[in-house]
């Protein structure tokens, strides 16, 4: 008796599955469900490749679109941290995008890269063009890029990148170039900030706070605005920033500004 009930249950499941497949197949050919409107939430602008992907949903039947698969495709873009697609009966889909919280891109002679969940991801030309004007650009050596591709971005470096991004955002009007040097280790390395309009470079030699770096830039700006010597017009003045001192390097001797 129990065996008979089991057989009936299995047959019922098979029949229901076949029925569902037939219904779904039939719905996928009804023009009423062809996507005619797409609404985007969470972003005001998207890159050309992402826009192309999203536009490809137009005129496609809703039942031919695998939302889970398309969400993963959208999340693969560096601009996107998360994506949810919802269907609004009968022919509208809503795409809710959470943009990346990353504030910087790494750059070397071969292209642009971004930290995505701890992995260093290389941007194609369209994504790079879209993001590079919205983010702080940090120059690194190709050898360091290779190191990061192998071992990922974690711990110390993640914190360093966040620090540089915060400094870049706050002082973007003055900063013309940021370079990060590291000998492929977990040490702090060195941040080199070029202030071309002030004919100065700030070498951050030790881990310090964002405010400490920004305050040092203010000191350099004040110094440059009051400088009357002609040598400042000919070459960059170097400042070294340590935890306890900002040191101005001069050929005739160093000037220590202390804390």
């Amino acid at each position: 008796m129990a065996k008979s009930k089991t057989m009936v249950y299995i047959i019922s499941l098979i029949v229901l599955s076949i029925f569902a497949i037939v219904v779904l197949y039939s719905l996928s050919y009804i023009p009423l469900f062809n996507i005619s409107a797409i609404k985007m939430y969470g972003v005001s602008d998207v890159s050309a490749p992402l826009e192309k992907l999203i536009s490809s949903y137009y005129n496609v039947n809703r039942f031919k679109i695998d939302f889970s698969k398309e969400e993963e495709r959208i999340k693969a873009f560096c601009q996107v941290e998360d994506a949810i697609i919802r269907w609004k009966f009968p022919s509208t889909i809503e795409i809710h995008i959470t943009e990346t919280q990353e504030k910087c891109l790494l750059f070397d002679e071969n292209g642009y890269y971004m930290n995505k969940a701890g992995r260093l991801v290389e941007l194609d030309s369209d994504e790079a063009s879209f993001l590079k004007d919205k983010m702080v650009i940090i120059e690194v050596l190709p050898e360091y890029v290779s190191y990061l591709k192998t071992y990922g971005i974690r711990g110390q470096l993640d914190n360093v990148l966040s620090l540089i991004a915060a400094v870049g955002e706050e002082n973007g009007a003055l900063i013309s170039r940021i370079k990060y040097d590291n000998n492929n280790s977990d040490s702090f390395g060195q941040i080199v900030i070029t202030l071309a309009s002030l004919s100065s470079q700030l070498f951050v030699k030790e881990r310090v706070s964002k405010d400490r770096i920004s305050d040092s830039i203010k000191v350099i700006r004040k110094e440059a605005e009051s400088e009357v010597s002609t040598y400042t017009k000919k070459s960059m003045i170097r400042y070294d920033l340590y935890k306890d001192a900002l040191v101005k390097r001069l050929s005739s001797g160093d000037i220590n500004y202390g804390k």
Side-chain angles (χ1 to χ4, degrees):
M1 189 70 176
K3 187 175 181 181
S4 177
K5 285 185 177 180
T6 302
M7 279 300 286
V8 170
Y9 177 72
I10 293 173
I11 292 171
S12 297
L13 281 179
I14 293 172
V15 170
L16 286 173
S17 298
I18 293 173
F19 177 75
I21 292 171
V22 170
V23 170
L24 186 60
Y25 181 80
S26 300
L27 290 174
S28 68
Y29 284 92
I30 298 177
L32 175 66
F33 301 118
N34 291 353
I35 301 303
S36 60
I38 299 174
K39 296 181 179 180
M40 299 273 293
Y41 297 93
V43 289
S44 57
D45 192 19
V46 296
S47 65
L50 179 52
E51 183 177 11
K52 183 178 180 180
L53 172 61
I54 292 170
S55 296
S56 71
Y57 304 145
Y58 279 110
N59 298 318
V60 178
N61 189 283
R62 179 265 174 269
F63 295 100
K64 290 184 178 179
I65 301 175
D66 183 335
F67 281 8
S68 296
K69 180 180 178 181
E70 295 308 313
E71 286 171 352
E72 292 303 314
R73 291 180 69 189
I74 292 173
K75 285 190 283 187
F77 287 89
C78 288
Q79 179 189 0
V80 181
E81 186 171 297
D82 195 17
I84 298 173
I85 302 177
R86 294 192 176 103
W87 175 44
K88 191 170 183 180
F89 183 88
S91 58
T92 298
I93 58 175
E94 298 177 341
I95 303 176
H96 298 259
I97 289 178
T98 301
E99 286 197 284
T100 179
Q101 298 303 302
E102 291 296 319
K103 302 295 183 183
C104 63
L105 297 180
L106 299 186
F107 169 76
D108 70 4
E109 61 190 34
N110 299 310
Y112 291 86
Y113 312 84
M114 198 181 86
N115 177 17
K116 194 166 177 68
R119 295 184 304 109
L120 190 67
V121 178
E122 186 170 358
L123 278 65
D124 63 28
S125 58
D126 288 324
E127 275 201 288
S129 178
F130 177 78
L131 289 174
K132 68 182 183 181
D133 293 330
K134 304 174 185 292
M135 294 188 172
V136 176
I137 306 300
I138 304 170
E139 293 185 37
V140 291
L141 294 174
E143 294 79 8
Y144 194 53
V145 168
S146 297
Y147 172 83
L148 296 177
K149 284 182 176 179
T150 302
Y151 297 102
I153 297 175
R154 60 191 185 278
Q156 173 105 292
L157 177 60
D158 200 17
N159 294 331
V160 171
L161 294 182
S162 297
L163 170 65
I164 297 174
V167 171
E169 284 191 306
E170 185 171 304
N171 302 277
L174 286 175
I175 296 174
S176 54
R177 182 184 182 190
I178 301 177
K179 187 173 182 180
Y180 179 63
D181 289 322
N182 189 296
N183 60 351
N184 297 355
S185 70
D186 290 329
S187 63
F188 175 74
Q190 175 178 259
I191 304 169
V192 182
I193 300 173
T194 300
L195 309 163
S197 63
L198 305 180
S199 299
S200 302
Q201 283 186 310
L202 176 63
F203 287 69
V204 183
K205 310 291 286 186
E206 298 176 327
R207 178 180 293 281
V208 293
S209 68
K210 172 186 72 70
D211 291 339
R212 183 87 171 90
I213 298 175
S214 292
D215 288 344
S216 298
I217 291 175
K218 290 177 183 177
V219 170
I220 294 171
R221 181 176 184 176
K222 183 176 180 181
E223 193 62 26
E225 289 174 347
S226 63
E227 182 61 65
V228 295
S229 301
T230 57
Y231 72 84
T232 60
K233 308 296 183 181
K234 298 178 181 179
S235 61
M236 288 283 178
I237 300 176
R238 172 171 171 163
Y239 294 79
D240 287 351
L241 178 60
Y242 301 91
K243 290 179 181 178
D244 298 320
L246 173 64
V247 180
K248 182 179 182 180
R249 301 297 186 189
L250 299 174
S251 58
S252 58
D254 297 339
I255 300 177
N256 190 335
Y257 291 90
K259 295 183 179 181

